[in-house]
Amino acid sequence: MPASTPNPSPIPKTPKSRKSSKPAPALAALHYRVELGDLHAHLFQVTLTIARPAALQRVSLPAWIPGSYLVREFSKNLQGLQAHQESRHPQPLAVEQLDKSNWQIACAPDSALVLRYLVYAHDNSVRTAWLDASRGFFNGTSVCLKVEGQEVLPHVLEIPAAKAMDGWSLATGLTPQAIDSRGFGRYQAADYDELVDSPVEMGAFWSGSFTARGVPHRFVVAGAADSFDGARLLADTQKICEAEIRFWHGKRKPLHQNYLFMLNVVDDGYGGLEHRNSTALICNRKDLPRQGDPKTSDGYATLCGLISHEYFHTWNVKRLRPAEFEHYQYGQENYTELLWFFEGFTSYYDDLLLRRAGLLDNAGYLKRLTTTVNQVAQAPGRQVQSVAEASFDAWVKYYRPDENTPNATISYYTKGALVALCLDLTLRSEGRTTHEKTLDDVMRALWKHCKAGPMRELDVASVLETLGLRSFAPELAAWVHGRDELPLKILLEQHGVTVLDEPAQLAQRLGLRVAENHSVQVKTVLRGGAAEMAGFSAGDEWLGLELIGKPVSSKTGRQPDAGWRLNKLDDLLLYTGDAKKVMALVARDKRLLRLELTLPPAITTWRLAVKNEARVNEWLDPSGTSV
């Protein structure tokens, strides 16, 4: 790759056009040209041409990206915005910044307005943009200014190939208009929503494809090691896609014409972001399947669950969506209380559909469900915040976790998944000998009831009542808007699952969440636990302990030396024996403190296991998939 240009100008000048015998293509209403401005400075160069601007044309850059409910202020990465109209004003036009993410340009409406700017791209996540010498990636919300008043017009995105892109290819879910064999060229979007809902991946990535129920699917992977087993990833993803298409449409034709998976493989990372006909994913390099190794690691099972989750969003959130998201307001928070349904129910089905696709057996599924159950049970915030409140507060709480998050909030992903589980098992129990309806039927009925569009909680209640032959208002009030404990144990046992008690880890017993690296660093002190009562605080370093109540020696007349250094939390059990109390030696803000800690009795967590295989299969494997 060539080195970056020394001391580049903020926006390189546009070269004069050369005469060509070929007629120029008709100018699109809105045309974005995205180029590599400087690989080593991580700068995309963008040229936006507005064919018919307003006299006072406003443009803006979104403050958030749908699917990730946090105001991220993407405008902080935009720099050097310039404007001109060559046919009218050879000199640059004044660009007035109205606020953090809105600009206004006074111009002649009968002449094309050209905006040029740079975007800094150095966020190696699924949410923003990235550019270096080996890879480029961006979401339109980070790169493409929105043109006020023209959002519903067709938008064209052009990404030309360049010398710096030797060996690179391009992948996006947008409709190609004129592209080369590697994917570079022009793409078209029906409107701004589609443009920014179609991320772009560039680089020397691995690429594979398959067909699921007649729909072409492509999978591109950036950053994988040579041991990566691409054939297995494709085969397993195909099973997931076929199971989910069958879930929503039965034998009918799916609604999407194609689909693209984009996976960025890194040393340490995890996440995904859904889009209308694509998804951006990130995972640990060690979690990919490896050639010659048929085993399914926990990491690979988690990756398959992520793929299943994001693909399920093709229906549940991208089309069937909260009514508040019918028209996105990109410049501000878009509030809804329904993330417990759209993210929580998707979280319920992601692993369940892995089971139905044959990628998990019953024991493997219950192991993953056990994790979810214990995550919710071990969060004191479940007694403080309802899952509907958690949905509404996502903008200020879920995406901004701190040391008090487990005490004050509950995840609409995990508890929402358990609400879905309880509704599913309740429907199955009550309808077993009569109408035999399940949550699967509810999801498909909502799809039809809402015409694959905006949905309200009233729609959920209505469909539940229709299919369940009674009102589910009490359950929705208690499980969604209340803070009651969910009736998990009784429902699971009714469906062939035994609930076993196992000793909780020491950290949970003490009411702590810690990091261990030659000492014990306290990250969170859980509400009402022994550590909180002793006076521990997030940020403390637990250095060691002294035993309290040791008998005095008859020879020396004093207690024996009973101090110990802690390197990891489990050392506590090694040194305490049958002691009931210890003096914890803690460093806080360079001060050494002695905290009297009463050791609590042992507590238990759950482990779910199969008790009645036939009953479990009625729930997990209704089609009789063999594993």
Side-chain angles (χ1 to χ4, degrees), residues 266-579:
V266 297
D267 180 62
D268 185 18
Y270 174 81
L273 190 60
E274 69 275 3
H275 298 280
R276 190 173 180 85
N277 69 334
S278 64
T279 184
L281 310 166
I282 187 168
C283 78
N284 294 344
R285 194 165 285 114
K286 63 184 179 182
D287 291 340
L288 288 176
R290 300 179 189 179
Q291 296 176 15
D293 185 358
K295 297 190 298 295
T296 298
S297 66
D298 288 342
Y300 182 53
T302 297
L303 173 59
C304 288
L306 178 65
I307 291 168
S308 176
H309 184 100
E310 303 304 335
Y311 194 65
F312 198 82
H313 274 320
T314 306
W315 295 267
N316 194 41
V317 92
K318 296 313 298 183
R319 290 169 174 83
L320 186 65
R321 63 168 73 178
E324 297 89 346
F325 292 176
E326 184 174 6
H327 302 290
Y328 292 121
Q329 302 297 317
Y330 291 102
Q332 63 188 42
E333 297 89 342
N334 291 213
Y335 293 99
T336 179
E337 288 190 344
L338 283 171
L339 295 182
W340 60 269
F341 178 90
F342 289 98
E343 291 293 355
F345 280 40
T346 299
S347 295
Y348 172 60
Y349 276 108
D350 54 23
D351 285 340
L352 182 56
L353 286 166
L354 289 187
R355 171 65 190 90
R356 295 180 185 175
L359 299 180
L360 288 175
D361 59 14
N362 290 343
Y365 173 79
L366 291 178
K367 178 182 178 182
R368 297 176 67 80
L369 181 59
T370 296
T371 300
T372 302
V373 170
N374 286 328
Q375 283 175 342
V376 172
Q378 294 168 5
R382 76 187 189 282
Q383 299 173 329
V384 176
Q385 185 186 53
S386 73
V387 74
E389 292 169 338
S391 301
F392 195 85
D393 283 340
W395 299 91
V396 293
K397 292 189 177 180
Y398 183 82
Y399 283 92
R400 292 177 176 170
D402 59 27
E403 71 283 352
N404 193 49
T405 291
N407 295 322
T409 70
I410 192 63
S411 167
Y412 50 78
Y413 284 90
T414 53
K415 187 173 180 182
L418 297 185
V419 170
L421 168 68
C422 289
L423 287 172
D424 193 12
L425 299 186
T426 299
L427 286 164
R428 291 172 183 273
S429 294
E430 296 181 358
R432 190 177 185 194
T433 59
T434 54
H435 47 289
E436 296 183 347
K437 296 298 181 183
T438 72
L439 193 63
D440 300 4
D441 300 302
V442 171
M443 299 300 291
R444 290 188 285 264
L446 279 169
W447 178 262
K448 296 178 181 178
H449 178 79
C450 299
K451 297 180 172 60
M455 190 197 84
R456 295 171 173 81
E457 186 175 324
L458 183 63
D459 298 311
V460 180
S462 175
V463 169
L464 280 170
E465 183 170 355
T466 299
L467 296 182
L469 302 181
R470 69 169 177 86
S471 172
F472 278 74
E475 285 85 355
L476 294 176
W479 302 346
V480 174
H481 296 278
R483 299 163 188 83
D484 296 2
E485 299 292 355
L486 300 174
L488 292 167
K489 186 172 184 179
I490 186 172
L491 287 171
L492 287 166
E493 290 178 342
Q494 287 173 358
H495 288 80
V497 176
T498 185
V499 179
L500 304 173
D501 289 331
E502 290 196 336
Q505 293 183 347
L506 180 58
Q508 189 64 30
R509 176 183 168 190
L510 295 171
L512 287 174
R513 294 185 181 176
V514 302
E516 298 171 326
N517 184 17
H518 303 297
S519 65
V520 179
Q521 294 89 37
V522 176
K523 297 300 183 183
T524 294
V525 179
L526 297 177
R527 189 62 36 79
E532 184 184 59
M533 295 178 184
F536 279 83
S537 180
D540 287 351
E541 182 180 13
W542 191 352
L543 301 173
L545 60 92
E546 296 173 348
L547 299 182
I548 298 175
K550 279 282 186 178
V552 175
S553 170
S554 58
K555 293 182 179 181
T556 64
R558 62 182 177 84
Q559 287 184 333
D561 185 7
W564 297 96
R565 179 78 165 88
L566 288 183
N567 289 323
K568 56 184 184 298
L569 193 59
D570 282 346
D571 289 345
L572 182 66
L573 298 177
L574 174 65
Y575 301 135
T576 54
D578 59 355

Side-chain angles (χ1 to χ4, degrees), residues 597-611:
L597 173 66
T598 299
L599 297 177
I603 60 174
T604 60
T605 59
W606 281 12
R607 181 170 67 85
L608 308 180
V610 175
K611 183 177 182 180

